[in-house]
PDB file of all heavy atoms in Angstrom:
ATOM      1  N   ASP A 163       2.180  26.933  18.318  1.00 98.00           N
ATOM      2  CA  ASP A 163       1.799  27.807  19.404  1.00 98.00           C
ATOM      3  C   ASP A 163       1.161  29.132  18.912  1.00 98.00           C
ATOM      4  O   ASP A 163       0.202  29.668  19.453  1.00 98.00           O
ATOM      5  CB  ASP A 163       3.065  28.135  20.210  1.00 98.00           C
ATOM      6  CG  ASP A 163       4.233  28.725  19.525  1.00 98.00           C
ATOM      7  OD1 ASP A 163       4.286  28.546  18.248  1.00 98.00           O
ATOM      8  OD2 ASP A 163       5.084  29.430  20.079  1.00 98.00           O
ATOM      9  N   VAL A 164       1.765  29.709  17.833  1.00 98.00           N
ATOM     10  CA  VAL A 164       1.184  30.867  17.289  1.00 98.00           C
ATOM     11  C   VAL A 164      -0.234  30.666  16.748  1.00 98.00           C
ATOM     12  O   VAL A 164      -1.147  31.424  16.904  1.00 98.00           O
ATOM     13  CB  VAL A 164       2.122  31.469  16.176  1.00 98.00           C
ATOM     14  CG1 VAL A 164       1.442  32.596  15.447  1.00 98.00           C
ATOM     15  CG2 VAL A 164       3.410  31.885  16.787  1.00 98.00           C
ATOM     16  N   PHE A 165      -0.437  29.520  15.983  1.00 98.00           N
ATOM     17  CA  PHE A 165      -1.672  29.250  15.427  1.00 98.00           C
ATOM     18  C   PHE A 165      -2.762  29.063  16.419  1.00 98.00           C
ATOM     19  O   PHE A 165      -3.868  29.524  16.348  1.00 98.00           O
ATOM     20  CB  PHE A 165      -1.603  28.046  14.556  1.00 98.00           C
ATOM     21  CG  PHE A 165      -1.201  28.340  13.145  1.00 98.00           C
ATOM     22  CD1 PHE A 165      -0.006  28.974  12.822  1.00 98.00           C
ATOM     23  CD2 PHE A 165      -1.983  27.866  12.052  1.00 98.00           C
ATOM     24  CE1 PHE A 165       0.325  29.216  11.528  1.00 98.00           C
ATOM     25  CE2 PHE A 165      -1.580  28.157  10.676  1.00 98.00           C
ATOM     26  CZ  PHE A 165      -0.433  28.837  10.403  1.00 98.00           C
ATOM     27  N   THR A 166      -2.353  28.357  17.527  1.00 98.00           N
ATOM     28  CA  THR A 166      -3.331  28.248  18.704  1.00 98.00           C
ATOM     29  C   THR A 166      -3.652  29.486  19.311  1.00 98.00           C
ATOM     30  O   THR A 166      -4.838  29.809  19.622  1.00 98.00           O
ATOM     31  CB  THR A 166      -2.738  27.200  19.768  1.00 98.00           C
ATOM     32  OG1 THR A 166      -2.422  25.994  19.131  1.00 98.00           O
ATOM     33  CG2 THR A 166      -3.576  27.085  20.879  1.00 98.00           C
ATOM     34  N   GLN A 167      -2.659  30.334  19.590  1.00 98.00           N
ATOM     35  CA  GLN A 167      -2.939  31.705  20.176  1.00 98.00           C
ATOM     36  C   GLN A 167      -3.910  32.516  19.440  1.00 98.00           C
ATOM     37  O   GLN A 167      -4.723  33.223  19.907  1.00 98.00           O
ATOM     38  CB  GLN A 167      -1.569  32.415  20.337  1.00 98.00           C
ATOM     39  CG  GLN A 167      -1.700  33.777  20.873  1.00 98.00           C
ATOM     40  CD  GLN A 167      -0.387  34.646  20.598  1.00 98.00           C
ATOM     41  OE1 GLN A 167       0.566  34.128  19.998  1.00 98.00           O
ATOM     42  NE2 GLN A 167      -0.369  35.862  21.141  1.00 98.00           N
ATOM     43  N   LEU A 168      -3.730  32.399  18.115  1.00 98.00           N
ATOM     44  CA  LEU A 168      -4.500  33.301  17.219  1.00 98.00           C
ATOM     45  C   LEU A 168      -5.775  32.593  16.788  1.00 98.00           C
ATOM     46  O   LEU A 168      -6.438  33.178  15.897  1.00 98.00           O
ATOM     47  CB  LEU A 168      -3.665  33.821  15.939  1.00 98.00           C
ATOM     48  CG  LEU A 168      -2.447  34.586  16.379  1.00 98.00           C
ATOM     49  CD1 LEU A 168      -1.581  35.030  15.058  1.00 98.00           C
ATOM     50  CD2 LEU A 168      -2.742  35.845  17.198  1.00 98.00           C
ATOM     51  N   GLY A 169      -6.045  31.374  17.083  1.00 98.00           N
ATOM     52  CA  GLY A 169      -7.174  30.597  16.633  1.00 98.00           C
ATOM     53  C   GLY A 169      -7.177  30.301  15.152  1.00 98.00           C
ATOM     54  O   GLY A 169      -8.204  30.294  14.483  1.00 98.00           O
ATOM     55  N   LEU A 170      -5.941  30.063  14.569  1.00 98.00           N
ATOM     56  CA  LEU A 170      -5.852  29.766  13.201  1.00 98.00           C
ATOM     57  C   LEU A 170      -5.744  28.218  12.860  1.00 98.00           C
ATOM     58  O   LEU A 170      -5.330  27.570  13.768  1.00 98.00           O
ATOM     59  CB  LEU A 170      -4.651  30.430  12.581  1.00 98.00           C
ATOM     60  CG  LEU A 170      -4.596  31.957  12.760  1.00 98.00           C
ATOM     61  CD1 LEU A 170      -3.206  32.571  12.351  1.00 98.00           C
ATOM     62  CD2 LEU A 170      -5.681  32.664  11.910  1.00 98.00           C
ATOM     63  N   THR A 171      -6.150  27.881  11.755  1.00 98.00           N
ATOM     64  CA  THR A 171      -5.908  26.458  11.273  1.00 98.00           C
ATOM     65  C   THR A 171      -4.965  26.369  10.112  1.00 98.00           C
ATOM     66  O   THR A 171      -4.874  27.455   9.360  1.00 98.00           O
ATOM     67  CB  THR A 171      -7.283  25.835  10.906  1.00 98.00           C
ATOM     68  OG1 THR A 171      -7.898  26.677   9.902  1.00 98.00           O
ATOM     69  CG2 THR A 171      -8.221  25.812  12.028  1.00 98.00           C
ATOM     70  N   PRO A 172      -4.245  25.327   9.994  1.00 98.00           N
ATOM     71  CA  PRO A 172      -3.361  25.220   8.817  1.00 98.00           C
ATOM     72  C   PRO A 172      -4.129  25.437   7.449  1.00 98.00           C
ATOM     73  O   PRO A 172      -5.238  25.050   7.209  1.00 98.00           O
ATOM     74  CB  PRO A 172      -2.910  23.730   8.837  1.00 98.00           C
ATOM     75  CG  PRO A 172      -3.117  23.394  10.246  1.00 98.00           C
ATOM     76  CD  PRO A 172      -4.341  24.122  10.697  1.00 98.00           C
ATOM     77  N   PRO A 173      -3.483  26.139   6.571  1.00 98.00           N
ATOM     78  CA  PRO A 173      -4.038  26.538   5.245  1.00 98.00           C
ATOM     79  C   PRO A 173      -4.283  25.239   4.395  1.00 98.00           C
ATOM     80  O   PRO A 173      -3.479  24.387   4.417  1.00 98.00           O
ATOM     81  CB  PRO A 173      -3.124  27.383   4.578  1.00 98.00           C
ATOM     82  CG  PRO A 173      -1.783  27.186   5.200  1.00 98.00           C
ATOM     83  CD  PRO A 173      -2.036  26.795   6.669  1.00 98.00           C
ATOM     84  N   THR A 174      -5.361  25.268   3.642  1.00 98.00           N
ATOM     85  CA  THR A 174      -5.645  24.121   2.759  1.00 98.00           C
ATOM     86  C   THR A 174      -5.434  24.364   1.315  1.00 98.00           C
ATOM     87  O   THR A 174      -5.611  23.541   0.436  1.00 98.00           O
ATOM     88  CB  THR A 174      -7.165  23.589   2.948  1.00 98.00           C
ATOM     89  OG1 THR A 174      -8.029  24.640   2.602  1.00 98.00           O
ATOM     90  CG2 THR A 174      -7.341  23.228   4.334  1.00 98.00           C
ATOM     91  N   THR A 175      -5.126  25.736   0.978  1.00 98.00           N
ATOM     92  CA  THR A 175      -4.897  26.103  -0.428  1.00 98.00           C
ATOM     93  C   THR A 175      -3.822  27.132  -0.346  1.00 98.00           C
ATOM     94  O   THR A 175      -3.515  27.840   0.687  1.00 98.00           O
ATOM     95  CB  THR A 175      -6.159  26.756  -1.084  1.00 98.00           C
ATOM     96  OG1 THR A 175      -6.479  27.973  -0.484  1.00 98.00           O
ATOM     97  CG2 THR A 175      -7.293  25.828  -1.051  1.00 98.00           C
ATOM     98  N   LEU A 176      -3.139  27.480  -1.425  1.00 98.00           N
ATOM     99  CA  LEU A 176      -2.190  28.548  -1.549  1.00 98.00           C
ATOM    100  C   LEU A 176      -2.754  29.903  -1.209  1.00 98.00           C
ATOM    101  O   LEU A 176      -2.127  30.760  -0.633  1.00 98.00           O
ATOM    102  CB  LEU A 176      -1.464  28.527  -2.862  1.00 98.00           C
ATOM    103  CG  LEU A 176      -0.540  27.282  -3.056  1.00 98.00           C
ATOM    104  CD1 LEU A 176       0.046  27.383  -4.574  1.00 98.00           C
ATOM    105  CD2 LEU A 176       0.541  27.139  -2.135  1.00 98.00           C
TER     106      LEU A 176
END
Side-chain angles (χ1 to χ4, degrees):
D163 58 335
V164 173
F165 273 56
T166 298
Q167 176 195 5
L168 301 180
L170 300 172
T171 57
T174 61
T175 67
L176 291 176

